[in-house]
Amino acid sequence: MAPLVTLSTHGNVAIVALNNPPVNALSHGVRKSLSELLVGAFSDASIGAVVIWCEGRTFIAGADIREFGKTPLAPDVPEVVELIDAAKKPVIAALHGTALGGGLELALACHYRVALPSTRVGFPEVTLGLLPGAGGTQRLPRLVGVGAALDLIVNGRLISAAQALTLGLIDAIAEEPLRESALAFAETMLLEGRPHRRVSELVAKLDAPGQLEAYRASIAQRSRGFLAPFHCIEAIRAAVELPFKEGLARERTLFVELMDSPQSKAQRHAFFAEREVTRVPGLPDDTATRTLRSAVVVGSGTRARAIGACFADASLSVTLLAGTREELDNGVAALRVSSAADEARAGLDANAKGRRAPMACSLDTGLLNDADLIVEAGEGDATAQRQSLGRIDAVVKPGAILVTTSPYADIDNVAACTKRSEEVVGVQLHQGGTARVVENIRARDTAPEVSATLMKLAKSAGKIPVLVRGPVGSRMFTEYLREALFLLEEGALPEQVDRVLYDFGFQAGPFAESDRSGLDIEWHRRKVRFDSLDPRARACTLLDQICEQGRFGLASGAGFYRYDADGNRIHDPAVEDILVLHSKDRGIVRRAISGQEILERCLFALVNEGARVLEEGIAARPLDIDMIWIHGYAFPVYRGGPMFYADQLGLASVRNAMLGYAAEPGGEHLTPAPLVERLARGLMGFYATS
Ligand code: 3H9
């Protein structure tokens, strides 16, 4: 195995090169070799300056996250960083790729920094529920000012080399090849006798009195529930108020608090799950994929445009196929608006990926004949969609992939209606949460190559694709909403239920969320499944009553709430009347229900359905479910997703609480699913199954 760190000398300059693929993380081995070589170089009288440079695609992308939560091994990252800061000879960091977290902290302890133009730098620790814990919160405000430091550290925002230069975070933009440029920089610096600069010796000052308090207030809403952003602010306060060494100690205390918190554990879980989710059991990484160039989306409404955009983001040439001249005109107008918005966003965002390929809208059904991928995205019901797919199937070329986006259709039935069952898949885009998750639903006969192609496409569109055997998110949402509806008929009000789930960390509770996404879909789903519902669910007709009054949610101005012209939610006494009357009709005496009961019943209904989804093999792993819920339904990332959260609570105590609710009249549906029962009995969790 190649050494992790090597040192070579070039005249009186030493180049210390790291080689720890894929991202040169500061693992224990790297820290140990790096500090040994640095100590050697610092005491070698023939060496005047040291360049730290990395092989491979990036400069150090941070501490090694895989070591977090394990016994730390010396030297730790702060020790290596302080070793560099204290050096008597100048150290130059040569940056490329992504210099992040502990990597950027190390660079800030160097006495000069140069970077290739394509470099991006930043502190993403906050997204892992952490703060920069190796001096980053102390050095950055000293170097670039408190305002910029708050922006970068609290938001975990990456910036380009040009922006870093403007801020004074780096000293120069370097040319390729970086190693030689950095060497030349070091030689010039020595020749010119430039001063030995230590960021730790600068002073951090507030831009205005009360700046930190004002910043805290400005993030209060969007960072609601999170610990790390507020700890970041406190660490920056230490940079302003305390001498450097004491500031470091304060940063350490705050860092350790976060590292030990359940939030960071959950966010680190989410980080790895996001990467693991595309490695599907039974679908090897080397599964062949098809090269697709063109996609035709049948439909031009909202769903069609959203899915078309996803394929356009994967660089496919996408045409939306409208059914009528009016649909065509509307489609063209909508595309024009969204493309202008994309242009504006790309212009503002240094992190924006490549621009979306332009999309077209047409009436020409002949386009179907040559398309590589055809998406059925009409707004009709399951039968209409099946018929449409049948028509498409008859005209498309051999090898074309057919995608259905129907929220209702059974994928195996859909596939069976075509002559190409191995080339049929379902795709469900989710617009909640980060709106990044895509469920790729494979049918019984879908060819592995087709599944792998869809996974690759979604990934290159910047999505988080999850491969499943049937809809997962919507199926679990139905159970979650059903429990919330039971709570309404027992005595709760929509705002009470929503408040509890909002306080738990969801962006919106189940009723506000249903109103946002439209009640008609859930209502339709209920009608499709009506005969298979249990008696209590069948008799809980609240959703029918709301929808029968034309209240389909936000878009129709009313649902479980009323909405004003600006879309603000308003309590609606009419809904309360419906509830009270419904409870009376059902012979239910309305009662006060505690927040704890609301929370547990809604979440445990969700977890129980997740367990069934796993047991039936609809989702392969608990992490698939957690990704869908974090990125598609805004389940708070700092709780790690429903399955991770249940494990954190302890599955045995979840099971016991469920048994308690199941023993109440009408509570049988909360009987723990067999998988929950089995795991709880063995004192295991969804993740820890052995
Ligand atoms: C920190 O630094 C704390 C300090 O302040 C204080 C210390 C005291 N460690 O994302 P990719 C793996 S916290 C270990 O698919 P990309 C990743 O799991 C850290 N492993 O590639 C994956 O492995 P696998 C602050 C890491 O090109 C592989 O590398 N830094 C780390 O799309 C490829 O990753 C961060 O938070 C790591 N630090 O994106 C940066 N980073 O193939 C986190 C990555 O087995 N990393 N891996 O699944 C990233 O944001 C992206 O990985 C990066 C590359 C932009 C670097």
Side-chain angles (χ1 to χ4, degrees):
M1 208 178 82
L4 292 169
V5 191
T6 51
L7 182 143
S8 57
T9 47
H10 308 262
N12 58 351
V13 177
I15 296 187
V16 173
L18 273 67
N19 185 12
N20 185 26
V23 298
N24 284 311
L26 288 169
S27 64
H28 174 240
V30 170
R31 299 193 303 270
K32 190 163 174 299
S33 310
L34 177 61
S35 52
E36 283 166 7
L37 289 175
L38 287 176
V39 167
F42 294 159
S43 60
D44 183 338
S46 68
I47 294 175
V50 177
V51 170
I52 299 181
W53 169 81
C54 289
E55 307 260 10
R57 60 168 146 134
T58 182
F59 189 75
I60 304 161
D64 189 335
I65 307 169
R66 289 178 200 279
E67 291 180 1
F68 289 177
K70 300 185 184 150
T71 313
L73 295 172
D76 60 15
V77 182
E79 280 174 75
V80 181
V81 166
E82 295 318 315
L83 170 73
I84 295 170
D85 182 284
K88 301 256 165 11
K89 43 190 84 168
V91 183
I92 297 108
L95 313 181
H96 74 292
T98 43
L100 305 178
L104 186 57
E105 292 180 293
L106 185 141
L108 288 180
C110 292
H111 311 99
Y112 291 92
R113 288 156 292 282
V114 299
L116 287 182
S118 54
T119 312
R120 292 190 304 147
V121 302
F123 287 112
E125 280 89 340
V126 72
T127 61
L128 298 167
L130 294 171
L131 53 78
T137 64
Q138 304 307 296
R139 286 191 177 85
L140 193 65
R142 284 177 160 80
L143 189 60
V144 303
V146 171
L150 282 167
D151 177 28
L152 293 189
I153 293 175
V154 177
N155 298 318
R157 196 162 73 80
L158 308 198
I159 55 170
S160 65
Q163 290 167 313
L165 185 66
T166 307
L167 283 177
L169 201 161
I170 61 170
D171 301 289
I173 302 276
E175 284 172 11
E176 301 257 24
L178 176 63
R179 190 171 168 278
E180 282 62 31
S181 289
L183 185 58
F185 182 93
E187 285 164 349
T188 312
M189 189 204 62
L190 285 177
L191 269 178
E192 290 175 357
R194 286 200 207 161
H196 191 79
R197 301 175 327 169
R198 286 194 180 86
V199 176
S200 56
E201 290 171 355
L202 304 175
V203 175
K205 286 200 205 91
L206 293 179
D207 300 321
Q211 184 179 14
L212 298 175
E213 291 69 23
Y215 195 80
R216 174 178 268 275
S218 75
I219 65 156
Q221 179 56 25
R222 75 184 139 88
S223 300
R224 178 180 63 91
F226 286 92
L227 276 180
F230 301 98
H231 271 48
C232 288
I233 298 175
E234 288 317 300
I236 293 172
R237 179 190 302 284
V240 177
E241 294 179 356
L242 300 175
F244 183 74
K245 282 244 158 62
E246 287 174 39
L248 276 188
R250 176 82 181 122
E251 176 193 82
R252 190 82 211 145
T253 306
L254 291 163
F255 178 79
V256 171
E257 267 176 38
L258 290 177
M259 181 63 96
D260 293 344
S261 69
Q263 289 206 355
S264 175
K265 211 169 162 199
Q267 288 178 257
R268 272 141 44 202
H269 153 69
F271 174 87
F272 287 116
E274 203 177 297
R275 282 149 184 86
E276 195 57 33
V277 76
T278 51
R279 285 188 207 113
V280 181
L283 194 70
D285 283 351
D286 58 0
T287 306
T289 53
R290 296 187 190 171
T291 305
L292 308 182
R293 292 195 175 79
S294 61
V296 171
V297 181
V298 180
S300 54
T302 314
R303 177 142 40 99
R305 287 198 303 278
I307 189 119
C310 178
F311 290 118
D313 283 341
S315 303
L316 263 65
S317 144
V318 176
T319 308
L320 307 182
L321 202 55
T324 62
R325 165 64 52 186
E326 190 189 350
E327 281 175 18
L328 178 74
D329 292 343
N330 292 342
V332 168
L335 285 182
R336 207 171 290 133
V337 171
S338 63
S339 115
D342 289 343
E343 290 282 319
R345 226 184 351 260
L348 289 176
D349 184 0
N351 298 330
K353 294 206 162 178
R355 299 233 170 134
R356 173 174 297 166
M359 292 196 281
C361 196
S362 170
L363 286 168
D364 179 6
T365 52
L367 291 168
L368 290 169
N369 305 345
D370 287 328
D372 298 324
L373 181 125
I374 298 94
V375 185
E376 162 52 59
E379 307 283 336
D381 62 12
T383 316
Q385 292 219 333
R386 261 206 311 276
Q387 286 167 349
S388 168
L389 267 179
R391 282 194 298 274
I392 295 166
D393 185 40
V395 298
V396 299
K397 67 183 180 188
I401 295 176
L402 292 194
V403 173
T404 171
T405 60
S406 167
Y408 321 113
D410 174 305
I411 189 69
D412 290 334
N413 286 345
V414 171
C417 297
T418 70
K419 297 193 297 287
R420 59 186 75 236
S421 56
E422 68 289 357
E423 265 137 2
V424 173
V425 284
V427 168
Q428 307 239 303
L429 287 183
H430 292 286
Q431 302 298 340
T434 60
R436 285 182 61 210
V437 82
V438 180
E439 287 185 49
N440 287 333
I441 306 172
R442 60 175 155 191
R444 193 183 309 109
D445 297 333
T446 305
E449 186 185 320
V450 171
S451 299
T453 303
L454 263 287
M455 293 297 281
K456 193 170 151 201
L457 276 180
K459 208 171 160 193
S460 64
K463 299 284 184 189
I464 300 170
V466 186
L467 192 60
V468 288
R469 265 292 281 128
V472 170
S474 56
R475 172 174 161 175
M476 289 174 68
F477 187 84
T478 298
E479 295 306 299
Y480 168 67
L481 181 64
R482 177 177 93 144
E483 196 57 39
L485 287 164
F486 288 160
L487 287 160
L488 293 193
E489 67 177 7
E490 289 171 39
L493 292 178
E495 34 278 81
Q496 187 194 358
V497 175
D498 278 350
R499 181 84 227 174
V500 169
L501 275 309
Y502 176 82
D503 287 346
F504 174 76
F506 275 99
Q507 265 165 22
F511 298 114
E513 177 60 29
S514 303
D515 272 1
R516 186 197 61 78
S517 56
L519 299 183
D520 41 341
I521 294 186
E522 200 56 48
W523 188 35
H524 192 96
R525 212 176 262 134
R526 172 178 159 82
K527 285 196 225 165
V528 169
R529 295 177 59 226
F530 190 79
D531 293 335
S532 61
L533 297 180
D534 67 37
R536 180 171 180 192
R538 219 176 292 156
C540 182
T541 55
L542 288 170
L543 187 62
D544 310 65
Q545 292 179 53
I546 302 268
C547 290
E548 277 157 10
Q549 295 190 8
R551 308 175 65 114
F552 293 117
L554 176 59
S556 67
F560 287 100
Y561 298 89
R562 230 161 19 89
Y563 294 88
D564 67 15
D566 298 324
N568 297 312
R569 263 197 313 272
I570 305 167
H571 168 80
D572 193 345
V575 172
E576 199 169 340
D577 291 346
I578 294 175
L579 300 183
V580 171
L581 201 63
H582 172 80
S583 305
K584 193 159 165 250
D585 286 351
R586 298 260 295 110
I588 297 171
V589 179
R590 293 181 69 78
R591 65 185 169 95
I593 305 179
S594 72
Q596 183 184 349
E597 178 173 346
I598 291 173
L599 184 66
E600 290 187 345
R601 283 178 48 184
C602 290
L603 290 182
F604 296 167
L606 192 60
V607 169
N608 220 23
E609 194 61 12
R612 291 194 195 97
V613 160
L614 285 175
E615 199 141 46
E616 291 168 26
I618 304 296
R621 301 158 296 182
L623 68 86
D624 294 313
I625 297 176
D626 284 340
M627 285 298 95
I628 291 170
W629 273 80
I630 289 173
H631 291 286
Y633 291 85
F635 193 98
V637 61
Y638 58 77
R639 301 201 193 263
M643 311 317 271
F644 184 85
Y645 180 67
D647 276 8
Q648 294 308 100
L649 291 178
L651 214 46
S653 60
V654 171
R655 186 263 318 255
N656 293 343
M658 288 176 74
L659 285 174
Y661 292 122
E664 296 294 324
E668 302 88 291
H669 62 281
L670 282 170
T671 303
L675 179 62
V676 173
E677 190 56 55
R678 248 193 345 271
L679 292 174
R681 229 183 279 138
L683 293 180
M684 292 182 287
F686 292 114
Y687 284 90
T689 51
S690 55

